[in-house]
Amino acid sequence: MKYPVTPDGRYFVVRGRLWRMSDPRLGESERAALTSALMTARRAVGVALRVGDPDGLKSARADVDTAKIKLGERGPVWWDDDAPDENRKMVKNSRYADWWTEQPEAR
């Protein structure tokens, strides 16, 4: 499924919420390696939840966070124009609200 992306390419929208895109300056092989690490960490979260391993869960969630930071989806923003980070914000309450009202997905 393809999600709408803000005109500046910084966020995609899922169920009316903004989610930060990966840093477009990452090379394809680096992005692929980081995405693989993220998926491995997410699977480890699931395993830890299923088996009731709180230490494993803490470690796996930290690995998810690390991968997302390296991808640019969390942590310091990857753009340099001093625009605020609106990650996880409802698009209707963001600076993208006008753009969003023009999207078919917003209806």
Side-chain angles (χ1 to χ4, degrees):
M1 174 175 225
K2 195 137 167 104
Y3 297 106
V5 175
T6 58
D8 57 13
R10 293 177 181 168
Y11 303 94
F12 62 96
V13 181
V14 178
R15 291 189 295 267
R17 189 172 301 277
L18 294 166
W19 296 95
R20 197 187 315 167
M21 300 281 289
S22 298
D23 186 340
R25 298 171 298 187
L26 293 173
E28 197 52 45
S29 61
E30 183 179 12
R31 180 185 320 280
L34 290 170
T35 300
S36 177
L38 175 60
M39 295 301 107
T40 298
R42 285 181 169 164
R43 284 190 297 275
V45 166
V47 168
L49 285 169
R50 283 191 297 282
V51 301
D53 177 5
D55 292 333
L57 180 60
K58 184 176 181 179
S59 176
R61 285 186 171 157
D63 291 345
V64 167
D65 192 54
T66 297
K68 288 184 91 43
I69 289 169
K70 288 180 179 180
L71 280 163
E73 297 174 10
R74 289 186 186 159
V77 298
W78 43 261
W79 52 88
D80 57 6
D81 64 0
D82 295 325
D85 185 13
E86 299 195 72
N87 196 33
R88 300 182 183 182
K89 195 173 200 177
M90 295 304 291
V91 69
K92 68 181 181 181
N93 299 324
S94 73
R95 63 191 177 104
Y96 301 100
D98 290 340
W99 164 80
W100 183 243
T101 61
E102 298 170 3
Q103 304 309 303
E105 296 86 350
R107 295 178 183 86

